[in-house]
Amino acid sequence: MPALPTSTAAVLHGPKDLRLEPRPLWAPEPGQCQLEVKSTGLCGSDLHYYLAGRNGDFAIRSPLVLGHESSGVITALGAGVASQYPHLRVGVRVAIECGIPCRSLNSDGSARTGKDVCKHCSNSRYNLCKNLRFCSSAKTFPHRDGMLQQKINHEAWCLHPIPDSVSYSQAALAEPLSVLLHASRRAGICPASSYPSLGSSTSFSTTSTTSTSSSAAGKKVLVFGVGAIGLIACALAQELGAERVCAVDINNDRLAFAARERFTTSEGNSTYCLPLPPKITSMEPNPKEPENIRRAKENAANALAVFDEPDGFDVIFECTGAESCVLMSVFCTTLGARIALVGMGSPILSSFPISAAATREVDLIGSFRYADTYNEAVELLSGSNLLTSSCKGGHTNGVQAVQNAGFSQKLSKLVTHRYPLSQAKEAFELLARGRDENGGMVLKVMIES
Ligand SMILES: [Zn+2]
Ligand SMILES: [Zn+2]
């Protein structure tokens, strides 16, 4: 038998121990496609694994390939794909969805029954599926490898064809964009998916997490943290028609970038740089109000004054996970607002202004990865408008087409650095430093072939 061809993978063996290794390239299994990976964006969770060998509670238990923001081109089809997925052929360019839910199926492909039915997959919330295997994550064991490889085999139903107008690196951004589409649906400013749910292998149920009437119209949106995720939150909120989009960060350069590139609303002051807390405080501690709560109130009041939004914001995307920002976000809300918790940071808060949140009727909304977002993400990246394409009889006029081309161009500005797979280690080191050798800002680093 001839030896199997090999594919090079960047494999993480432990903290900062990233090795390029040849891996045997098996033929795709039935229902899978083989792909050449073209672009993979590095994200914060990849960086945590790279630096520490773990991401929060999830430690790698065996060598792991990172990368889950990916696009590629189909190079071979497994058995059954041609008949079941006629839109997937060799040469088709795709965005790759890296979370593979159980779809309420047993491993032999039969439907789960009785108490074994997966209610999350059945309810179009497959991001919560207990059996979901996410490529590049150590949450489940055995781990499923990620996309920092030359070639991979992947489930055909998790591949989303992209039009010629969308580049591979833009298509890789469908993943972080999906995170924000999901969070925006959860926060009530984005309509539900109008496609059949990917979590269901049979029925044509559509997303149940939100109503299709969700709208950003008239909403004022505040984003904490303008790294890649927060910037996408800003761009998407504007695209969805938010009345105003403002941002808070501790990094003035990032805020200047957000304002200059119009991720935030161009009228008025739309960015606020959060001062770092003083190391020593001369104030007497107030037992009724912990210092971090007092500071959160003060920072919120200052920010709302700068934004000239004394009544606060309707929707907040907390993309830092930092305790100081989570606390501050509560005091930046208007009555009846929603705070979407997008950032993963402090696992536990030392204090929380629960009565302020309760009496303002603030909804604190958890948001984890995404479900049924890729179709809309690819539509947005290819220049169509969710608002017009999702309403019956809607059409895209010339003005909107210009605006929407602007959306994908705006997102492309997030890609600040590109490396080949052979320099994946250098790419991670750059991401960790946050500045390149010329002092340039590092937002999204792409591994490309
Ligand atoms: Zn990620
Ligand atoms: Zn499931």
Side-chain angles (χ1 to χ4, degrees):
M1 212 170 93
L4 278 172
T6 58
S7 159
T8 302
V11 186
L12 187 72
H13 287 257
K16 293 198 166 198
D17 184 3
L18 191 72
R19 305 178 199 168
L20 288 172
E21 294 174 354
R23 291 248 171 128
L25 185 65
W26 305 94
E29 291 188 13
Q32 286 190 328
C33 293
Q34 191 162 88
L35 301 119
E36 184 184 339
V37 181
K38 289 300 213 175
S39 280
T40 299
L42 303 184
C43 108
S45 66
D46 293 317
L47 182 62
H48 282 127
Y49 282 118
Y50 172 77
L51 292 174
R54 63 187 308 132
N55 180 27
D57 290 341
F58 313 135
I60 61 167
R61 291 158 66 185
S62 61
L64 178 66
V65 178
L66 300 173
H68 52 264
E69 303 178 355
S70 293
S71 62
V73 59
I74 296 174
T75 54
L77 304 180
V81 173
S83 56
Q84 206 181 347
Y85 306 97
H87 60 295
L88 299 178
R89 297 177 309 278
V90 170
V92 167
R93 303 160 72 247
V94 293
I96 304 166
E97 185 166 348
C98 281
I100 301 160
C102 77
R103 308 176 103 192
S104 206
L105 300 176
N106 293 303
S107 51
D108 65 0
S110 61
R112 290 170 185 255
T113 54
K115 64 176 176 40
D116 293 332
V117 167
C118 177
K119 68 174 181 182
H120 304 300
C121 282
S122 308
N123 283 330
S124 309
R125 297 185 76 172
Y126 63 81
N127 56 315
L128 303 178
C129 170
K130 285 181 186 165
N131 303 304
L132 182 138
R133 296 186 66 209
F134 196 88
C135 301
S136 80
S137 168
K139 189 177 177 196
T140 52
F141 188 82
H143 311 324
R144 181 154 168 157
D145 279 332
M147 300 290 137
L148 290 179
Q149 316 192 48
Q150 283 177 321
K151 284 195 170 185
I152 53 145
N153 294 320
H154 202 73
E155 279 68 1
W157 50 275
C158 295
L159 302 176
H160 305 274
I162 54 172
D164 292 344
S165 61
V166 175
S167 70
Y168 284 118
S169 64
Q170 284 174 324
L173 293 172
E175 203 275 349
L177 177 54
S178 282
V179 170
L180 274 312
L181 276 166
H182 182 71
S184 298
R185 286 178 185 159
R186 298 270 298 139
I189 63 167
C190 179
S193 177
S194 51
Y195 292 84
S197 176
L198 198 72
S200 168
S201 57
T202 49
S203 79
F204 276 66
S205 64
T206 49
T207 306
S208 65
T209 48
T210 48
S211 78
T212 47
S213 61
S214 291
S215 167
K219 302 261 173 68
K220 294 177 179 178
V221 174
L222 179 61
V223 175
F224 281 83
V226 281
I229 284 286
L231 288 167
I232 296 174
C234 292
L236 182 59
Q238 290 208 66
E239 181 67 12
L240 292 169
E243 183 180 317
R244 195 156 184 226
V245 178
C246 296
V248 171
D249 201 294
I250 54 171
N251 182 324
N252 242 329
D253 290 351
R254 288 189 170 192
L255 289 169
F257 174 85
R260 186 175 67 242
E261 301 295 344
R262 305 219 169 162
F263 283 87
T264 53
T265 306
S266 45
E267 295 82 34
N269 289 322
S270 60
T271 60
Y272 178 75
C273 192
L274 194 58
L276 291 172
K279 285 277 181 287
I280 304 155
T281 172
S282 58
M283 297 204 35
E284 285 294 308
N286 175 350
K288 286 192 184 145
E289 185 169 69
E291 172 62 11
N292 55 352
I293 299 286
R294 187 199 64 76
R295 201 181 303 126
K297 268 188 192 171
E298 182 181 290
N299 285 331
N302 291 341
L304 294 183
V306 166
F307 296 139
D308 194 21
E309 294 290 354
D311 291 338
F313 288 82
D314 302 291
V315 174
I316 295 183
F317 291 96
E318 205 304 298
C319 301
T320 71
E323 176 171 308
S324 56
C325 292
V326 176
L327 299 180
M328 184 178 160
S329 70
V330 175
F331 297 109
C332 288
T333 53
T334 189
L335 303 177
R338 291 179 172 182
I339 301 174
L341 302 171
V342 181
M344 302 268 201
S346 325
I348 294 168
L349 302 183
S350 60
S351 53
F352 186 79
I354 193 76
S355 59
T359 54
R360 290 168 188 234
E361 289 200 353
V362 169
D363 293 342
L364 275 176
I365 295 170
S367 190
F368 182 62
R369 294 180 184 149
Y370 41 81
D372 295 319
T373 50
Y374 262 75
N375 286 307
E376 280 80 6
V378 170
E379 281 181 8
L380 277 166
L381 290 165
S382 57
S384 62
N385 183 303
L386 290 190
L387 301 176
T388 49
S389 62
S390 65
C391 63
K392 296 279 172 286
H395 64 280
T396 308
N397 65 31
V399 175
Q400 283 163 332
V402 171
Q403 286 171 346
N404 297 328
F407 177 79
S408 58
Q409 280 167 11
K410 206 184 260 185
L411 255 54
S412 294
K413 289 184 176 151
L414 300 178
V415 181
T416 52
H417 297 79
R418 297 167 195 270
Y419 284 86
L421 182 62
S422 59
Q423 292 180 31
K425 191 171 172 61
E426 286 84 344
F428 275 109
E429 291 294 334
L430 175 75
L431 189 61
R433 284 196 305 276
R435 289 263 163 210
D436 64 20
E437 64 278 14
N438 304 316
M441 194 167 56
V442 178
L443 285 171
K444 181 59 72 186
V445 180
M446 282 281 168
I447 304 292
E448 302 202 312
S449 71

